[in-house]
Amino acid sequence: MNTRTSFPAYLISSTTAGVGAAFTTLTDADLDPGDVTVRVQYASVNFKDALAATGKGRIIRRFPCVGGIDASGVVESSSAQHFKPGDSVIVHSHGFGVSHHGGYAGRARVPAAWVNRLPSGMSALEAITLGVAGYTASLGIDLMELNGLSPTKGKVLVNGATGGVASVSIDLLAQRGYHVVAVTGKPAEADYLRMLGASEVIASADLPAGTKPLEPALWQGAVDSLGGAPLAALTRSMQKDGVIASIGNAAGLDFNGSVMPFILRGVRLIGVNSDNEPELRDRIWKRLGSDLRPRHLAQIAKVIPFAQLPQAIEAIVNGKARGRTVIDVGSASS
Ligand SMILES: NC(=O)c1ccc[n+]([C@@H]2O[C@H](COP(=O)([O-])OP(=O)(O)OC[C@H]3O[C@@H](n4cnc5c(N)ncnc54)[C@H](OP(=O)(O)O)[C@@H]3O)[C@@H](O)[C@H]2O)c1
């Protein structure tokens, strides 16, 4: 390994002034230990990345840390038998960009369990457009269907609808024949949401605001990126045996609800977490390459140069982004 190889990186540090991030130059010698070294082509900006880089969430577990909880690229070297130089891969979840240098750098070195080979015919750009967001959306749908979700049973609500997890969820659910109701704080994006496959678009402010433990039963399923009060409201308006995938916390961490929807309507609240063992990761990535392959990745992705990462982080932390913001790391590193 050439330890003098240098590359640009976006490093998150903690000082007495607080948590902040800045561009720097690293070398291979700065990378964390791991089985697989990847030349990063693309990374993305997830809500968690924005909380991490701005210090608005206590995400980073080891300072300094290169940010970026997902990346796609090409294997440069590997001591793991099942990866070889030249393999196109995606890296995400576990400690990546949290307690181990992440994807906002020309190179990443990681444990093999954090790496997946790209499904056949999927490009590095398509893979990072999915990234953690698409992986988690697919995992959520997989788990919801295992818990009874079916296109014949009623409407499926997707909130935070213009976000990354939600955009992929809408695309996948619509493709599978579900009647998708997109709920958004940006009603001006209704055309985008309909293009992805939403049958209805509702402004968050127009959702029924009842506070009884059991409100009219409207939804057989819900993909929740928000947590907080919106998640508690969802539990009240689920149909009998309805299924909620709890994926995110964009609106808050606290959840103040009643058990009545669970014990009187059999509502199922399923937690979805992307830190999975290789067997499950392989299964979900195979599905992302086959029966859970989104149709609108090109429209969901916004590709920007590495230098514009700080502005993209500001946009997402302020709820102003749409779809998936992809960082072209490779062209800055070559
Ligand atoms: N469980 C896991 O393993 C896992 C994996 C990936 C992501 N997540 C979580 O899932 C959530 C979504 O992630 P993402 O990457 O899709 O984020 P994102 O792209 O930023 O999408 C979040 C969306 O939520 C809405 N929103 C943002 N701030 C809000 C606020 N303060 N109140 C109400 N709505 C708000 C916005 O949509 P509208 O303007 O359209 O309403 C925004 O586009 C995040 O909490 C993330 O941490 C969890």
Side-chain angles (χ1 to χ4, degrees):
M1 180 176 54
N2 177 5
T3 54
R4 285 173 302 175
T5 304
S6 63
F7 47 83
Y10 193 65
L11 194 66
I12 304 173
S13 305
S14 178
T15 67
T16 48
V19 173
F23 286 104
T24 188
T25 300
L26 298 181
T27 71
D28 280 357
D30 298 312
L31 292 176
D32 286 312
D35 315 303
V36 184
T37 302
V38 175
R39 176 167 50 81
V40 175
Q41 292 175 303
Y42 298 103
S44 84
V45 193
N46 297 276
F47 189 75
K48 187 172 173 181
D49 292 316
L51 295 180
T54 56
K56 290 197 171 155
R58 290 172 65 180
I59 305 293
I60 300 296
R61 299 281 174 244
R62 191 281 317 269
F63 292 102
C65 190
V66 172
I69 64 171
D70 51 19
S72 63
V74 176
V75 173
E76 291 211 318
S77 61
S78 167
S79 58
Q81 274 190 342
H82 45 296
F83 293 107
K84 60 179 188 322
D87 284 347
S88 292
V89 294
I90 178 121
V91 184
H92 67 83
S93 301
H94 299 289
F96 197 51
V98 174
S99 58
H100 187 110
H101 288 322
Y104 298 154
R107 278 180 175 67
R109 192 189 298 129
V110 292
W114 303 1
V115 186
N116 286 82
R117 200 172 280 105
L118 300 193
S120 163
M122 184 178 285
S123 69
L125 177 55
E126 289 171 318
I128 198 62
T129 302
L130 290 164
V132 179
Y135 174 87
T136 312
S138 304
L139 177 60
I141 291 168
D142 183 276
L143 293 172
M144 290 168 87
E145 289 184 338
L146 285 173
N147 280 276
L149 196 79
S150 157
T152 59
K153 293 185 184 166
K155 300 179 178 183
V156 180
L157 180 150
V158 179
N159 64 18
T162 64
V165 169
S167 291
V168 176
S169 298
I170 293 167
D171 188 331
L172 292 178
L173 287 164
Q175 187 185 154
R176 294 176 78 70
Y178 290 95
H179 181 111
V180 180
V181 180
V183 177
T184 179
K186 306 184 195 81
E189 295 287 1
D191 288 348
Y192 167 76
L193 297 169
R194 288 212 170 80
M195 177 275 300
L196 292 179
S199 300
E200 298 176 51
V201 179
I202 301 180
S204 321
D206 295 339
L207 269 184
T211 54
K212 289 189 291 202
L214 296 175
E215 292 286 342
L218 302 174
W219 325 113
Q220 70 139 334
V223 178
D224 178 61
S225 287
L226 303 184
L231 174 57
L234 269 177
T235 62
R236 297 193 278 269
S237 52
M238 299 303 292
Q239 293 173 198
K240 185 160 185 313
D241 298 328
V243 191
I244 303 171
S246 169
I247 292 182
N249 62 341
L253 294 169
D254 294 333
F255 166 65
N256 185 7
S258 161
V259 297
M260 282 174 71
F262 308 122
I263 61 178
L264 293 184
R265 284 188 180 161
V267 170
R268 295 157 200 187
L269 180 57
I270 302 174
V272 185
N273 178 266
S274 62
D275 290 343
N276 306 133
E277 294 307 309
E279 194 177 299
L280 179 54
R281 287 174 63 114
D282 283 348
R283 186 165 76 75
I284 296 301
W285 275 104
K286 280 200 180 92
R287 292 200 71 185
L288 281 164
S290 53
D291 65 314
L292 282 181
R293 192 168 189 139
R295 293 176 295 190
H296 299 98
L297 288 179
Q299 293 90 335
I300 291 172
K302 178 183 175 193
V303 185
I304 61 170
F306 200 4
Q308 288 177 18
L309 174 58
Q311 293 90 324
I313 284 170
E314 276 308 307
I316 203 164
V317 87
N318 291 314
K320 302 255 187 271
R322 184 186 93 175
R324 296 271 298 142
T325 305
V326 170
I327 308 298
D328 183 357
V329 176
S331 49
S333 310
S334 51

